[in-house]
Amino acid sequence: MSDVQEATNQLLDVNLCENQMSIQVTESGPRSESEHLQVTIGATVPTGFEQTAADEVREKLGSSCKISKDRGKIYFDISVDSLAQVHCLRSVDNLFVVVQEFKDYQFKETKEEVLKDFEELAGKLPWSDPLKIWKINTCFKKKKTKRRKINPNSSKQKIDNGRGDTTVEKDVKKELTNSVSDSQISDCYENPAIKEQVSTLIGDGLTSCKDETEENSKEEADPEVLKFRVTCNRAGEKHCFSSNEAARDFGGAVQDYFKWKADMTNFDVEVLLNIHDNEVVVGIALTEESLHRRNITHFGPTTLRSTLAYGMLRLCAPQPTDIIVDPMCGTGAIPIEGATEWSNCYHIAGDNNPLAVNRAANNISSLLTKIQVKEGKLPLGLPIDTIQWDICNLPLRTGSVDIIVTDMPFGKRMGSKKRNWNLYPACLREMSRVCRPGTGRAVLLTQDKKCFAKALSGMGHLWRKVHTVWVNIGGLHAAVYLLKRTPQSFVHPSEEDGERCPW
């Protein structure tokens, strides 16, 4: 069992003990009903990094994972106790629970017949277990909302006074210590892999068990009609219907079946109808916004998604004590993700643009504040530094860097295609100088593939291409290149061959 699973199970056990102390939980309660519930979870991931996400699921959840034919989706089975850990996955964007999957759905020949089948399908699906998972997941989100309402003032008191009153989260920790040792709880809260899960999904529920039960009893007496919408994601050329038509007719049947109220914007439940050629998957969304919105609060013109940054970092397999550099960091998405997940490495975020360096520094500061609010104490900091520098003349010793991970300018929003022809060779040359010969790695993202291939061809004695991952960045067909530094030592070019950086 992994550290994440062990810590989660400890806290869930403590949660159950606290509930039993305050209220007599009957055998028919929601906990006993869903204790052994097994469901299939679907996740959208950055296209091209499906295998990376599948590896993370196997590593952190111990679940087998299936990569969908529909690019950018994976599926895996979990028990309900692992739901909190699913929200802590770093490589997934959105999550949904699968109601039913049809691997070879037989579409009728005419549009009317197909849409009629969709209407009839709504009443035949096994909704019960997925809706239980949705309800548990909604409770998690309610706790998160309560935390956001409480903690900002508490955080200000800590900053202004240095101590302040005891917060709700501190009370939670004190209660937990009755059943679990202080060191165990400290380890749970300081483990970056479960930090978010502990703070937002479990902690707040321990002090509000009685209130929630009373609220549930009130809802049973006076049930509120849920609002919903159906979203259809369709890919394939042989369909005789549009996504809107499928969503409209299937949604109408769902409304008739559950007596829910349709609402396209302010909805409680989002039903997903994913169609890829002959594969049809019906699901219920578990996330309201993408999980990649976790680290960045100060955005730039080309901010990289945190999930994509995680996938790039995993490609180079960071080891403890590695020095990882992003020489064109922008808002700092890559080094911040690295410092959060690989805290046993040292990360350097650099850029030639002072605005970008300031944004990166502000994002680091915001993340530290977020950690402080969650943990109720001043964080020790992150293993990351920011610096303004020239990418073609890095203030680093030759052969001192283990890994370079960066998002190179595409030549569209930043820079230009013409400037890339001079910039890319100069960048690769300087990267080869600072990267450790024989063991150094580089993971580079670019959409200007022709220019990069030309630059790399002139550096064959210093860099060897190991792997290429094709990705979609805002509709642009881009590539992530994994390069290995050759054992050959770097030889400084002569002064007459040297040139000023075109950046």
Side-chain angles (χ1 to χ4, degrees), residues 152-165 167:
N153 293 333
S154 302
S155 176
K156 284 183 180 179
Q157 287 181 352
K158 292 192 190 77
I159 294 171
D160 294 340
N161 304 328
R163 35 193 302 182
D165 297 332
T167 62

Side-chain angles (χ1 to χ4, degrees), residues 69-330:
K69 293 184 295 182
D70 187 7
R71 290 196 72 197
K73 289 187 179 68
I74 61 172
Y75 297 96
F76 51 93
D77 296 330
I78 64 163
S79 63
V80 65
D81 287 340
S82 300
L83 185 59
Q85 293 167 249
V86 173
H87 282 268
C88 295
L89 294 173
R90 314 294 291 185
S91 58
V92 303
D93 288 318
N94 291 286
L95 298 167
F96 59 94
V97 56
V98 175
V99 176
Q100 191 166 352
E101 177 184 10
F102 303 90
K103 295 182 179 180
D104 187 20
Y105 188 89
Q106 298 299 314
F107 292 102
K108 299 291 179 60
E109 294 183 359
T110 65
K111 180 196 297 187
E112 290 74 17
E113 290 177 317
V114 172
L115 296 179
K116 182 66 176 177
D117 285 348
F118 281 151
E119 292 178 6
E120 295 175 354
L121 180 63
K124 301 176 182 178
L125 295 173
W127 295 99
S128 178
D129 287 351
L131 282 173
K132 289 178 184 177
I133 294 295
W134 170 84
K135 192 170 185 178
I136 295 171
N137 188 76
T138 302
C139 291
F140 289 163
K141 289 191 292 185
K142 285 181 180 178
K143 293 172 185 177
K144 189 172 182 179
T145 302
K146 290 178 183 178
R147 153 167 297 284
R148 286 175 178 172
K149 291 179 180 179
I150 293 171
N151 274 332
N153 293 333
S154 302
S155 176
K156 284 183 180 179
Q157 287 181 352
K158 292 192 190 77
I159 294 171
D160 294 340
N161 304 328
R163 35 193 302 182
D165 297 332
T166 303
T167 62
V168 174
E169 185 167 347
K170 286 186 177 180
D171 290 337
V172 172
K173 289 185 183 179
K174 287 181 180 178
E175 291 178 12
L176 285 170
T177 55
N178 293 329
S179 303
V180 184
S181 68
D182 291 337
S183 60
Q184 286 175 316
I185 294 301
S186 177
D187 291 341
C188 291
Y189 272 79
E190 291 176 3
N191 187 332
I194 64 168
K195 188 156 45 183
E196 184 173 353
Q197 161 199 329
V198 171
S199 298
T200 61
L201 304 185
I202 297 175
D204 294 329
L206 301 183
T207 57
S208 59
C209 179
K210 187 174 180 180
D211 294 337
E212 288 183 3
T213 305
E214 291 175 355
E215 184 179 339
N216 290 338
S217 301
K218 185 177 180 181
E219 286 179 0
E220 290 177 3
D222 186 20
E224 181 181 353
V225 177
L226 292 175
K227 291 177 285 186
F228 85 105
R229 81 173 186 186
V230 172
T231 301
C232 179
N233 302 300
R234 184 180 60 87
E237 300 178 354
K238 298 181 179 180
H239 302 139
C240 59
F241 56 92
S242 67
S243 300
N244 287 337
E245 290 171 335
R248 179 197 64 203
D249 287 46
F250 183 71
V254 170
Q255 184 177 28
D256 292 339
Y257 183 77
F258 288 106
K259 308 304 179 184
W260 292 342
K261 181 180 178 182
D263 193 320
M264 297 297 104
T265 54
N266 188 26
F267 51 87
D268 301 305
V269 185
E270 182 176 20
V271 178
L272 303 176
L273 181 62
N274 296 328
I275 304 172
H276 180 77
D277 292 331
N278 287 337
E279 183 182 78
V280 176
V281 178
V282 180
I284 299 174
L286 300 179
T287 50
E288 293 179 358
E289 65 176 10
S290 176
L291 296 179
H292 80 265
R293 302 176 181 274
R294 54 175 174 255
N295 297 332
I296 306 302
T297 54
H298 297 76
F299 292 86
T302 58
T303 300
L304 195 69
R305 295 161 69 178
S306 296
T307 47
L308 183 55
Y310 176 84
M312 292 173 64
L313 284 159
R314 268 192 77 110
L315 274 182
C316 52
Q319 301 299 313
T321 73
D322 276 352
I323 296 176
I324 305 176
V325 174
D326 183 352
M328 294 178 277
C329 69

Side-chain angles (χ1 to χ4, degrees), residues 429 432 459-464 484-486 488-490:
R429 183 165 55 247
S432 66
M459 299 285 168
H461 60 295
L462 297 173
W463 290 111
R464 179 173 60 87
K484 180 76 177 292
R485 180 68 167 83
T486 65
Q488 183 170 332
S489 299
F490 178 83

Side-chain angles (χ1 to χ4, degrees), residues 270-414:
E270 182 176 20
V271 178
L272 303 176
L273 181 62
N274 296 328
I275 304 172
H276 180 77
D277 292 331
N278 287 337
E279 183 182 78
V280 176
V281 178
V282 180
I284 299 174
L286 300 179
T287 50
E288 293 179 358
E289 65 176 10
S290 176
L291 296 179
H292 80 265
R293 302 176 181 274
R294 54 175 174 255
N295 297 332
I296 306 302
T297 54
H298 297 76
F299 292 86
T302 58
T303 300
L304 195 69
R305 295 161 69 178
S306 296
T307 47
L308 183 55
Y310 176 84
M312 292 173 64
L313 284 159
R314 268 192 77 110
L315 274 182
C316 52
Q319 301 299 313
T321 73
D322 276 352
I323 296 176
I324 305 176
V325 174
D326 183 352
M328 294 178 277
C329 69
T331 56
I334 294 174
I336 290 175
E337 184 68 23
T340 304
E341 185 69 8
W342 289 274
S343 58
N344 52 8
C345 299
Y346 178 59
H347 305 262
I348 304 177
D351 203 287
N352 78 313
N353 189 334
L355 294 177
V357 176
N358 287 337
R359 290 190 191 104
N362 288 333
N363 283 322
I364 295 170
S365 177
S366 297
L367 183 59
L368 289 172
T369 302
K370 180 181 176 183
I371 294 173
Q372 177 185 347
V373 169
K374 287 179 179 178
E375 296 188 355
K377 63 181 180 181
L378 288 173
L380 297 176
L382 293 172
I384 183 173
D385 278 318
T386 59
I387 184 173
Q388 182 179 353
W389 59 23
D390 178 0
I391 177 59
C392 301
N393 188 24
L394 299 175
L396 300 171
R397 293 180 181 177
T398 299
S400 62
V401 175
D402 297 289
I403 297 173
I404 296 174
V405 186
T406 196
D407 174 11
M408 303 184 75
F410 289 9
K412 291 185 177 292
R413 293 184 184 178
M414 296 294 291

